[in-house]
Structure formats: structure tokens, C-alpha cells
Amino acid sequence: MELLKNKIQTEGRVFNDSLLKVDSFLNHQLDPQLMLKMGEEFAKRFQGEKITKILTIESSGIAVSIMAGLTINVPVVFARKKKSTVTDDFYQAKAYSFTKQETNNITVDKKFLGPADKILIIDDFLANGEAALGLANIVKQSGATVVGIGIVIEKSFQPGAQKLKDLGYRVESLARIASFANGQVNFL
Amino acid sequence: MELLKNKIQTEGRVFNDSLLKVDSFLNHQLDPQLMLKMGEEFAKRFQGEKITKILTIESSGIAVSIMAGLTINVPVVFARKKKSTVTDDFYQAKAYSFTKQETNNITVDKKFLGPADKILIIDDFLANGEAALGLANIVKQSGATVVGIGIVIEKSFQPGAQKLKDLGYRVESLARIASFANGQVNFL
């Protein structure tokens, strides 16, 4: 998606050849018009899939997911990184964050996913695939079907995308990064 | 806002006469069309205020804020509940959560707020006012101006709204709850 790639080129900052900060439009400050365009792009790519619900994870997946949900006209569920204070009836999975070097226990209330659901998983980044695999695990526990995984920025030089494809998931990434070199971003 | 009140009446669940769960459309599962309507309502109420940026807090404030940002056509910044892994140049404030009984250290990168900004603060709930006060504190540190505070659900029987008004802030709440009694929600 050219609009996103341009934004990454002009505003992204590369740290230590593997970490990309895009906090001016995706992770901390959010660009609403860009979120809408990306949501529409996911809707277009997964057109005809009869999606019933979008599943993402707090916090950076929420903005783009709500725009996809608006376009497709389905609810959005965001998995939590710790248990809610009230319910104890939830699906859970573990997801290790290499960036933050911590394991998140991600949870979704059982009442929001069921066997009839066709789920589009959306997340902001795909690197090692831990978050997406955790979300797919939760969908599986509920008996619902994953129709695909929509990613804003895929670091294609890390193993996540291949892992997900090897498991049979359709992965659609709006920007695919081949490498970082000398602070520059090279797209696939 | 009638649409929101109806949603609270039909889908909200009251626990122990002070806690309202609205996780089917606001806190865990999100209703994108409702988020858009609420974002438009905030835009309408704060029309003419020359807002330059919206400030909210992860995670449940993000969806409605991005819709307000889309309508007003300004960026949205969400405060984080723990420090980012890279930057160390941020504003921070403490906010105690009575629901979760924990103190959050909320942070915003300094590059996203400055003296020229006119900020609309948005949050999902207003009870004791801790989160809104923390956000207002951060805006103050940056030299920016708070033009108002937009709240989805105000628990008017708790002290937050009055505290904020006493400090001179304009508070606009889309639903104002007078009391919970026998599992029922009574609006002001």
C-alpha cells in the first residue's frame, strides 16, 4: 500500500537494524485518515470472505481494526493482555513479545467468539508471529474459523509470516519490509 | 445521547451497585458504527474550539477517539500505561484505578504535545476522575491547552465530574448515570 510505505519512509525511524518506530502515526500518535484507508484496504483484500467479526489485540491494533470493522460492518473484539477484573470465563493464550521481552497472557471473553464466527485477525506488526499465533489459538479454542490475518507492517526478514503461511493461514500485509540497512527501510 | 443510553440499557450489566460492564460494545467488543456516531457527537459538541489534537489513554479510549479524530481531522495520541521501550523523553503522570486497584504510570512522548496545541481529552469512563486528571496534568506539562474533556459514560454519583468542573474544565459526557439500583441504570 503506497500511502503506508510513504509514511514509513518519511516518518519511520530505524533502531539497531531490527526495530522500526512508527509512533507518529501507528503506535502512539495515530493518523485517523490513514487508519481509515488501511481499514478499507483490509476490507477490499478480504472481500467475499463473509467475515462476522474482527479480532485484534490491545492497544496498537485497535484503531486500524475499528476502521476495518466500520467498512465491513462487523464488531471488533480486542484481546486483553491481562485478565479482566470481573469475568473468569475466557479463552487465553500466551504470546511472547521479543520487543518487550515479556510473555503476555492474552484473553478474550468466551461470549464474544463462537463456532459460527468467521474471524479476520488484524495486528499492527508481524515479526516473530507470537501475537498472531496467540490470537489464532484463541479463535481455534472457540471453534470459530480464521479467514485470514491482516497485518499493517510485516518484517519479512523475521520468521512470523512464513510460520503463519506454513500453518495454512492467509496473510495480507499492507507493507512488507525486506530489510533495514543504515537506518533505511527496504521494502520487498 | 439516546443511541448510547439505549445500548447501555439493553447490553450493560451492573455489578455490586457501582460497576457497569459494557464490554459488548465499548471495552472489549467494540461497535464500530456506535463509535463513529459518538466520535461525531464529540466533534459537534466541541465545534469551533480549533482542536489540534485528541489525547486519550489506552485501550478503551482509542476507538471512540479515532472516530472523533477522523471527523475533526486531527491526530489522536494515546497515553501509555507503561513506558515505551525506546524513548526516555516523555511526560508522565500517575493515575490510580479504583476498579483495578492499581496505580498506572501514564506517559506521552514529548514530541507529540507542545505549547501551540489545543487538546480535546477523551476517555470511555469518568468515575473518580483519576485518568482524566492524569491526562490534563500531562497536557499542562507540555504547555498545551485543554479545550475540554469528552467522556462516553459519566458516573455522576462519583466525584470525578465535579472535580474536573471545579478545576475549570469543560466536561461533555454522552451518557450521565445518576445511580445503579437493583441492577438497573438510572440516567440523570
Side-chain angles (χ1 to χ4, degrees):
Chain A
M1 191 182 171
E2 287 309 311
L3 183 65
L4 173 63
K5 287 190 201 171
N6 288 341
K7 200 87 171 169
I8 294 169
Q9 290 286 19
T10 51
E11 298 188 22
R13 289 169 303 138
V14 175
F15 292 81
N16 65 40
D17 279 359
S18 77
L19 187 61
L20 172 68
K21 279 283 262 194
V22 285
D23 58 359
S24 70
F25 60 93
L26 185 64
N27 293 128
H28 186 14
Q29 178 168 264
L30 307 168
D31 176 336
Q33 306 294 344
L34 177 66
M35 295 298 141
L36 177 60
K37 294 269 182 271
M38 296 196 301
E40 289 171 347
E41 179 69 20
F42 283 131
K44 194 174 135 196
R45 294 198 188 189
F46 291 99
Q47 207 164 19
E49 290 284 2
K50 297 189 168 48
I51 292 158
T52 63
K53 214 164 264 197
I54 291 168
L55 179 64
T56 187
I57 185 166
E58 60 181 355
S59 294
S60 300
I62 294 174
V64 60
S65 294
I66 199 80
M67 294 305 186
L70 185 74
T71 310
I72 304 173
N73 198 22
V74 293
V76 173
V77 175
F78 65 88
R80 292 197 170 118
K81 286 181 183 164
K82 43 183 176 176
K83 275 184 260 181
S84 162
T85 41
V86 174
T87 181
D88 55 3
D89 203 17
F90 47 78
Y91 302 113
Q92 62 177 309
K94 292 204 182 306
Y96 181 75
S97 166
F98 286 85
T99 314
K100 296 186 179 166
Q101 300 191 322
E102 64 186 21
T103 297
N104 286 308
N105 205 20
I106 65 176
T107 65
V108 173
D109 194 303
K110 286 190 176 176
K111 68 178 173 293
F112 298 129
L113 291 178
D117 280 317
K118 295 171 80 76
I119 306 293
L120 171 59
I121 292 172
I122 290 183
D123 203 8
D124 58 338
F125 268 96
L126 175 59
N128 291 284
E130 289 282 315
L133 286 167
L135 293 172
N137 179 342
I138 280 174
V139 175
K140 202 170 171 182
Q141 290 175 46
S142 77
T145 309
V146 176
V147 304
I149 299 172
I151 297 293
V152 175
I153 301 175
E154 173 188 311
K155 294 180 184 171
S156 310
F157 57 91
Q158 288 184 279
Q162 197 54 51
K163 258 193 250 177
L164 294 171
K165 287 172 193 169
D166 289 347
L167 288 165
Y169 295 114
R170 176 180 168 198
V171 179
E172 291 284 344
S173 304
L174 304 186
R176 301 173 72 204
I177 295 175
S179 67
F180 298 128
N182 308 316
Q184 292 299 302
V185 177
N186 302 305
F187 294 103
L188 261 194
Chain B
M1 191 181 172
E2 288 309 310
L3 183 66
L4 173 63
K5 287 190 199 171
N6 289 339
K7 201 86 173 173
I8 293 170
Q9 291 286 19
T10 52
E11 298 188 21
R13 290 168 303 138
V14 175
F15 293 81
N16 64 41
D17 279 0
S18 77
L19 186 61
L20 172 68
K21 278 284 262 194
V22 285
D23 58 359
S24 70
F25 60 91
L26 185 64
N27 294 129
H28 186 14
Q29 179 168 263
L30 307 168
D31 176 336
Q33 307 292 343
L34 177 65
M35 295 297 140
L36 177 61
K37 294 270 183 269
M38 296 197 302
E40 289 171 347
E41 179 68 21
F42 283 130
K44 194 175 135 195
R45 294 199 188 187
F46 290 99
Q47 206 164 18
E49 289 285 4
K50 297 192 168 46
I51 292 159
T52 62
K53 215 165 263 198
I54 291 168
L55 179 63
T56 186
I57 184 165
E58 60 181 356
S59 293
S60 299
I62 294 174
V64 59
S65 295
I66 199 81
M67 293 305 185
L70 186 73
T71 309
I72 304 173
N73 199 21
V74 293
V76 173
V77 175
F78 64 89
R80 293 199 170 118
K81 286 180 182 162
K82 43 183 177 176
K83 277 183 260 180
S84 163
T85 41
V86 174
T87 180
D88 55 3
D89 202 16
F90 47 78
Y91 302 112
Q92 63 177 308
K94 291 203 183 306
Y96 181 75
S97 166
F98 286 85
T99 314
K100 296 186 178 167
Q101 301 190 324
E102 63 185 22
T103 298
N104 285 309
N105 206 19
I106 66 176
T107 65
V108 173
D109 195 302
K110 286 190 177 176
K111 68 178 174 293
F112 297 129
L113 291 177
D117 279 316
K118 295 171 82 74
I119 306 293
L120 171 60
I121 292 172
I122 289 183
D123 204 8
D124 58 338
F125 268 96
L126 175 60
N128 291 284
E130 290 281 316
L133 286 167
L135 293 173
N137 178 341
I138 280 174
V139 175
K140 202 170 171 182
Q141 290 175 46
S142 76
T145 309
V146 177
V147 303
I149 300 173
I151 298 292
V152 176
I153 301 175
E154 174 188 312
K155 294 179 183 172
S156 309
F157 57 91
Q158 289 185 279
Q162 197 54 51
K163 257 193 253 178
L164 293 172
K165 286 171 193 169
D166 290 346
L167 288 165
Y169 295 114
R170 175 179 170 200
V171 179
E172 290 285 345
S173 304
L174 303 186
R176 301 173 70 204
I177 295 175
S179 67
F180 299 128
N182 308 317
Q184 292 298 304
V185 177
N186 301 306
F187 294 103
L188 262 194

